């Protein structure tokens, strides 16, 4: 029974190894391609805003089930600077952590003392999208 189990596991491992080699030769599963999704934000059940890097261009694209629409083109260097800032940021608070008044925590302050950082007021501003969704939810809730 143990020999049969070991042989079965060896067979499955061999098949997985072979499949990985074939996928690697065909370039499947590699992230070194021409198109790279930098960020993705869901807006609703079937709509998203995506930041996509294609070669040296960075595009903001809105996508629904029916269509894909170009919203804006961004400066590649600015996006890289924001990515570096986000990578160095302290982890976000756990869900359920509230401010003193029971509401959500205020936006994190950057080293310059500004609220929102380099993306404040842009399409990529998370605080802006959060307030938009909150306002939309307030207008559509049944009372």
């Amino acid at each position: 029974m143990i020999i049969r189990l070991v042989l079965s596991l060896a067979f499955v491992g061999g098949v997985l190894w072979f499949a990985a080699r074939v996928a690697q030769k065909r370039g499947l599963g590699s992230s070194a391609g021409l198109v790279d999704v930098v960020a993705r934000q869901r807006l609703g059940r079937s709509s998203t805003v995506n930041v996509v890097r294609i070669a040296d261009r960075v595009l903001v694209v809105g996508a629904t089930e029916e269509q894909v629409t170009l919203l804006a083109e961004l400066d590649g260097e600015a996006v890289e600077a924001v990515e570096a800032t986000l990578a160095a940021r302290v982890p976000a608070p756990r869900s359920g952590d509230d401010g003193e008044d029971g509401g959500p925590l205020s936006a994190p302050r950057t080293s310059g003392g500004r609220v929102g950082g380099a993306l404040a007021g842009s399409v990529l501003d998370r605080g802006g999208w959060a307030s938009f969704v909150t306002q939309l939810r307030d207008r559509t809730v049944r009372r």
Side-chain angles (χ1 to χ4, degrees):
M1 180 84 124
I2 292 176
I3 294 173
R4 187 173 169 189
L5 177 67
V6 170
L7 290 176
S8 298
L9 286 175
F11 176 74
V12 170
V15 169
L16 289 174
W17 177 79
F18 179 73
R21 296 280 297 190
V22 169
Q24 186 179 22
K25 285 182 182 178
R26 293 187 180 186
L28 300 175
S30 66
S31 63
L34 184 63
V35 178
D36 183 30
V37 178
V38 177
R40 178 177 292 139
Q41 178 68 46
R42 261 185 95 135
L43 299 179
R45 183 177 297 164
S46 64
S47 60
T48 60
V49 173
N50 304 305
V51 179
V52 181
R53 179 179 290 125
I54 301 174
D56 60 343
R57 297 178 67 188
V58 179
L59 307 173
V60 179
V61 179
T64 64
E65 290 180 359
E66 293 84 26
Q67 66 183 4
V68 176
T69 306
L70 176 65
L71 300 176
E73 184 170 347
L74 302 175
D75 181 28
E77 295 172 359
V79 172
E80 289 174 4
V82 169
E83 286 178 325
T85 303
L86 292 176
R89 182 190 280 181
V90 178
R94 296 182 314 245
S95 63
D97 288 349
D98 292 333
E100 294 176 10
D101 60 352
L105 292 172
S106 61
R109 295 198 176 267
T110 60
S111 59
R114 295 177 300 163
V115 175
L119 294 178
S122 73
V123 172
L124 300 175
D125 182 19
R126 185 177 184 135
W129 284 111
S131 66
F132 172 73
V133 170
T134 302
Q135 291 174 5
L136 190 62
R137 187 178 301 133
D138 290 342
R139 290 182 183 175
T140 58
V141 70
R142 291 185 182 177
R143 295 179 187 179

